[in-house]
Amino acid sequence: MKSALPKVLHRIAGLPLICHVANAVRGAGEGDVALVVGRGAEEVRAAVEKVAPNVSSHEQKERLGTAHAVLAAREAIARGYDDLLVVFGDTPLIEEAALIEARSQLAEGFDIVVMGFRPADPSGYGRLIEKEGQLVAIREEKDANAEEKRINFCNGGLMALRGDHALALLDAVRNDNAKGEFYLTDIIEIAHKQGRKVTAIEVPVDNVIGINTRVELAEAEAIWQDRKRRAVMLSGVTMIAPETVFFSHDTLVEADAVIEPNVFFGPGVHVASGAVIHSFCHLEGAHVGPNAEIGPFARLRPGADLAEKSKVGNFCEIKNATVAKGAKVNHLTYIGDAFVGAGANIGAGTITCNYDGYNKWRTEIGEGTFIGSNTSLVAPVSVGANAYIASGSVITENVPDSALAFGRARQVTKEGRATVLRERYAAIKAAKKAEK
């Protein structure tokens, strides 16, 4: 990855790679998660604990092969589980359905289940050698004969083992090979020598894609986004140009919402039924209520909470603020650390001045209130219900219910003064030019 960040902490859809894997494992059934860590152990453990709070962590201090890595979690394996799933932290696209299928094969009586795939070009992959309905060996390409190289059923690396004999099989692996490493794949032949039943299941190719470069990271992101777009549309959401919409791992969009082109969802967004997200919007940590309307070119930052039939229009930004039912923030406006009451209308260019350089302060706007264009509301300040703020005002004091407030300088007009100013400024410009 050429990165200071541990590989498995790079993100797809805003979530670390390894957390995608942990979620799939947890979705495959109730059970414990054992995490084998190496580089960046503390960071990796902290990330996984956010999605799997009861994870146990086990450090692999030496890199002596895949079986050695699994045995780093010996303490967890020895507890005697029914099933043991072995998955990789850098295969974020594994789906829980594949893991559930592997477990079902164990329930059918197999002792080991290997997850295989059929790539368009099998070159470079270990081949799954089957005989009479069982998997008899995994042959690395460099060791395969001509007939075996024609096999296109390849080893995905992920496995499921019956828990009652997993530790014995792992302990039987030896490192008498060129690299002096303990290979997990060796347990297939060991199991056969012990008279155990081994099978392979086919999973989609994308399920076993490993991430080793930024290019592969981007390719995996594209696959994840395509999956999510399809799932969202099948759930009843209209997407006009789905390929231009990007979701976070936890985005929730309810049926009958409409998403126009070029919309980006960061983490923590919930869009309710009937809402419309117009083009070129960016949402993060926001709730969009039923039949609300957002954008185009709007930004909802964390804490934005838009109620039913509210509206946030073009070139508006909402942060840590509630926009109540039917309220409108139509254009060119910033609403931060605020409450906008039901049915209120916020004019173009309005700003809640919420930060004094040290602290954030809150603005309260009552229901039915009209805020004129180009108004600055200097927090902390409260504007009552059904009040009216004149355009161009700077409001620094609380405004009562149903009051009219002005907060602007009185206009003064100087006849002919514009000509004098132009002549003066032209002379200054000419003088500066002459000096050069």
Side-chain angles (χ1 to χ4, degrees), residues 265-317:
F265 293 93
V269 177
H270 177 189
V271 178
S273 178
V276 177
I277 313 297
H278 292 294
S279 295
F280 297 100
C281 289
H282 188 290
L283 299 82
E284 180 180 357
H287 178 267
V288 180
N291 300 302
E293 188 176 355
I294 310 299
F297 296 98
R299 184 182 182 193
L300 302 185
R301 291 171 58 193
D305 186 3
L306 277 61
E308 182 180 1
K309 295 184 178 179
S310 60
K311 182 178 180 181
V312 172
N314 49 294
F315 302 104
C316 292
E317 182 177 342

Side-chain angles (χ1 to χ4, degrees), residues 225-226 229-230 233 239-247 259:
Q225 292 293 340
D226 282 343
R229 292 164 186 150
R230 179 176 176 80
M233 289 186 288
M239 295 173 65
I240 296 171
E243 70 279 4
T244 69
V245 176
F246 291 84
F247 293 103
I259 303 173

Side-chain angles (χ1 to χ4, degrees), residues 335-420:
I335 301 293
D337 300 294
F339 174 83
V340 179
N345 187 91
I346 309 300
T350 295
I351 298 171
T352 57
C353 306
N354 56 328
Y355 184 52
D356 62 8
Y358 297 92
N359 302 291
K360 297 289 179 70
W361 300 98
R362 200 160 171 80
T363 298
E364 300 284 336
I365 300 171
E367 65 178 41
T369 287
F370 180 90
I371 307 293
S373 297
N374 201 34
T375 292
S376 295
L377 300 164
V378 183
V381 70
S382 175
V383 180
N386 299 304
Y388 195 108
I389 306 299
S391 296
S393 293
V394 178
I395 301 300
T396 58
E397 298 179 3
N398 292 344
V399 179
D401 292 353
S402 302
L404 169 62
F406 292 81
R408 59 194 185 200
R410 189 183 185 92
Q411 179 174 323
V412 177
T413 302
K414 302 285 187 178
E415 294 286 345
R417 191 61 181 267
T419 302
V420 174

Side-chain angles (χ1 to χ4, degrees), residues 143-180:
D143 300 320
N145 59 38
E147 183 180 352
E148 291 170 338
K149 286 181 179 180
R150 285 194 289 271
I151 297 171
N152 71 341
F153 195 22
C154 300
N155 178 31
L158 285 66
M159 289 188 187
L161 297 83
R162 285 178 57 88
D164 54 6
H165 61 254
L167 206 52
L169 285 171
L170 291 163
D171 280 334
V173 175
R174 296 290 177 259
N175 65 340
D176 49 354
N177 52 64
K179 289 188 175 181

Side-chain angles (χ1 to χ4, degrees), residues 49-311:
E49 284 176 346
K50 292 179 181 179
V51 299
N54 297 322
V55 64
S56 63
S57 182
H58 311 269
E59 186 174 0
Q60 184 191 18
K61 296 181 179 179
E62 298 180 90
R63 309 294 187 268
L64 299 178
T66 48
H68 180 265
V70 175
L71 280 171
R74 176 186 293 275
E75 180 184 353
I77 299 169
R79 293 174 190 158
Y81 297 102
D82 292 332
D83 301 342
L84 175 66
L85 292 171
V86 179
V87 295
F88 303 146
D90 64 353
T91 56
L93 299 176
I94 183 65
E95 295 174 291
E96 61 186 60
L99 301 179
I100 290 171
E101 172 60 19
R103 293 193 65 195
S104 73
Q105 291 298 310
L106 294 179
E108 290 291 325
F110 286 99
D111 296 298
I112 301 176
V113 181
V114 174
M115 296 178 218
F117 67 108
R118 298 184 189 275
D121 180 4
S123 300
Y125 294 109
R127 307 303 205 278
L128 299 181
I129 312 299
E130 296 177 296
K131 184 178 180 181
E132 297 178 355
Q134 287 206 52
L135 179 67
V136 297
I138 299 176
R139 191 86 69 230
E140 295 303 320
E141 186 173 53
K142 65 180 183 297
D143 300 320
N145 59 38
E147 183 180 352
E148 291 170 338
K149 286 181 179 180
R150 285 194 289 271
I151 297 171
N152 71 341
F153 195 22
C154 300
N155 178 31
L158 285 66
M159 289 188 187
L161 297 83
R162 285 178 57 88
D164 54 6
H165 61 254
L167 206 52
L169 285 171
L170 291 163
D171 280 334
V173 175
R174 296 290 177 259
N175 65 340
D176 49 354
N177 52 64
K179 289 188 175 181
E181 293 186 352
F182 299 87
Y183 296 136
L184 183 61
T185 51
D186 287 352
I187 67 172
I188 306 304
E189 294 190 49
I190 293 170
H192 272 289
K193 290 178 182 178
Q194 296 179 2
R196 302 191 184 278
K197 295 175 66 178
V198 183
T199 190
I201 61 171
E202 182 177 347
V203 303
V205 173
D206 59 18
N207 273 236
V208 291
I209 289 176
I211 308 300
N212 293 300
T213 68
R214 309 289 181 124
V215 173
E216 291 169 346
L217 183 68
E219 291 170 348
E221 175 82 42
I223 294 169
W224 190 96
Q225 292 293 340
D226 282 343
R227 286 182 184 175
K228 180 69 173 181
R229 292 164 186 150
R230 179 176 176 80
V232 167
M233 289 186 288
L234 289 175
S235 74
V237 175
T238 295
M239 295 173 65
I240 296 171
E243 70 279 4
T244 69
V245 176
F246 291 84
F247 293 103
S248 177
H249 65 98
D250 59 353
T251 306
L252 176 60
V253 186
E254 295 181 8
D256 288 325
V258 175
I259 303 173
E260 292 185 355
N262 298 295
V263 174
F264 182 89
F265 293 93
V269 177
H270 177 189
V271 178
S273 178
V276 177
I277 313 297
H278 292 294
S279 295
F280 297 100
C281 289
H282 188 290
L283 299 82
E284 180 180 357
H287 178 267
V288 180
N291 300 302
E293 188 176 355
I294 310 299
F297 296 98
R299 184 182 182 193
L300 302 185
R301 291 171 58 193
D305 186 3
L306 277 61
E308 182 180 1
K309 295 184 178 179
S310 60
K311 182 178 180 181

